[in-house]
Amino acid sequence: MSAEHPEIPWHVAIIMDGNGRWAKERGLPRRDGHRAGAESVREVADTCIELGIRYLTLYAFSSENWNRPPAEVEALMGLLDRFLIEKGADMKKRGIRLQTIGRTDLLPDKTRALIERITAETAGHAALTLVLALSYGAREEIVGAARSLAADAAAGRITPDDIDCRLFESRLQTAGLPDPDLLIRTSGEMRISNFLLWQISYAEIVIVRKNWPDFRRNDFIEAVREYQQRHRRFGAL
Ligand code: IPE
Ligand code: IPE
Ligand code: MG
C-alpha cells in the first residue's frame, strides 16, 4: 500500500463495541442494544458509499464471543440472520459486495446459507466491499496461515526460504483485501480484542467514547476527519 496520505481512507475497520452497556444504561436487555447497533451498521455502510470508502470491515462476532451465555449468542445469531435477510436485497440494489472472514463453518446452518447466497449474489458489485468478521479471531487466522504454509513445505511445494510477508498474507483470510487505513473502536475501550492483528500494523487508530448504537453518520465522518489530520509515516519520514 502506498505511503502517500489518501484524502479518504481506502479501508476502514471497526470494532463495534458497547451494545450491552448502551442497553444497560437504558434498563433494557442486552439484545436490544445489539438490535439498535444493527441500525448503526446500516448508517455507517451508507456513509462509506457517500464518502467513497471502498472497504468496510466490521467485527461482528469474535471467536471469544462464543463464551457468552447461550441465550445471548442465540440472540446475536438471530439478529445477524435478520440483518442478512433485510439487507441482502438492499445490498444488491446499492452495489455492496458482501464478504466474510472468520470461522463461518461454526455458524448455524441457516446463517451460513444466507451468507453463502448473498456473497454469491453480490460478488460482482464494486461500490463498497462489506467484510463481516464472524466467529473471527486473528490468532486463529495467523495460525491457519502458518499451518497452510507448513503443509506446503512438508509436501515439497515450497521451501522455508520462500516464506515472506507477501506469501504469508496470501494465506490469511483477508487475502486480496487491502490493509485497513483506519481502525475505529467505540465504547472507549483501548484494546484490539484479537482483531486483524497482522493487518492493522500501520492503521491509524481512533477510539470513540460513544457506544456502538449511538455511533452514527456524523460520528463516523468525525472519525474520518481525525484520520485525515494524522501524518502517516510507515516508519519512514
Ligand atoms: C459489541 O457489544 C457486540 C459484540 C461483541 C457482539 P458488547 O456486547 O460487547 O457490549 P458491551 O461491551 O458489553 O457493552
Ligand atoms: C470485541 O468486543 C468483539 C466485537 C466487537 C465483535 P468484545 O466486547 O468481545 O471485547 P472485550 O471482551 O471487551 O475485549
Ligand atoms: Mg464489548
Side-chain angles (χ1 to χ4, degrees), residues 7-237:
E7 269 301 297
I8 287 290
W10 192 246
H11 183 174
V12 178
I14 308 183
I15 303 174
M16 310 183 288
D17 197 17
N19 293 352
R21 277 162 283 174
W22 183 92
K24 195 172 178 208
E25 281 165 11
R26 288 160 180 76
L28 297 168
R30 291 178 64 85
R31 185 202 153 83
D32 289 10
H34 297 311
R35 191 186 296 124
E39 186 55 26
S40 297
V41 171
R42 194 193 58 73
E43 211 167 298
V44 166
D46 281 353
T47 312
C48 281
I49 295 175
E50 185 189 326
L51 298 181
I53 290 165
R54 304 301 295 274
Y55 296 87
L56 174 66
T57 298
L58 298 176
Y59 204 4
F61 193 84
S62 74
S63 42
E64 289 75 23
N65 288 151
W66 290 113
N67 298 323
R68 294 191 178 193
E72 179 164 357
V73 171
E74 236 174 76
L76 280 164
M77 293 302 153
L79 285 167
L80 176 59
D81 288 350
R82 212 170 86 175
F83 175 83
L84 291 168
I85 291 164
E86 285 174 6
K87 299 295 164 230
D90 204 41
M91 281 186 218
K92 276 190 267 176
K93 258 187 264 151
R94 306 174 66 76
I96 298 176
R97 173 169 65 148
L98 179 71
Q99 284 191 23
T100 56
I101 52 173
R103 294 284 310 273
T104 47
D105 56 303
L106 300 178
L107 298 174
D109 290 345
K110 183 184 172 201
T111 313
R112 231 183 34 242
L114 277 167
I115 290 169
E116 277 166 19
R117 179 167 64 72
I118 299 169
T119 303
E121 284 174 357
T122 62
H125 294 177
L128 173 72
T129 298
L130 173 63
V131 183
L132 293 182
L134 294 166
S135 190
Y136 173 83
R139 285 181 172 176
E140 291 84 336
E141 178 189 35
I142 290 168
V143 167
R147 192 183 298 121
S148 120
L149 291 169
D152 276 4
R157 288 188 288 268
I158 60 168
T159 70
D161 284 342
D162 292 328
I163 301 173
D164 58 11
C165 287
R166 250 185 51 158
L167 184 62
F168 198 91
E169 266 171 354
S170 74
R171 304 297 170 93
L172 295 171
Q173 291 160 9
T174 51
L177 299 170
D179 285 344
D181 303 294
L182 167 61
L183 172 70
I184 300 170
R185 182 168 187 151
T186 58
S187 89
E189 304 292 357
M190 305 231 189
R191 55 178 174 261
I192 301 299
S193 303
N194 204 13
F195 189 45
L196 299 177
L197 294 178
W198 172 288
Q199 298 87 344
I200 59 166
S201 292
Y202 274 102
E204 294 296 326
I205 300 176
V206 172
I207 305 286
V208 179
R209 290 200 71 83
K210 277 190 184 179
N211 290 320
W212 177 249
D214 285 331
F215 186 86
R216 296 296 164 97
R217 181 176 176 276
N218 286 343
D219 306 293
F220 183 70
I221 290 174
E222 211 174 288
V224 171
R225 282 219 187 93
E226 185 170 338
Y227 164 85
Q228 288 175 317
Q229 281 154 18
R230 303 275 179 89
H231 175 210
R232 301 184 81 187
R233 296 166 66 124
F234 299 95
L237 281 180

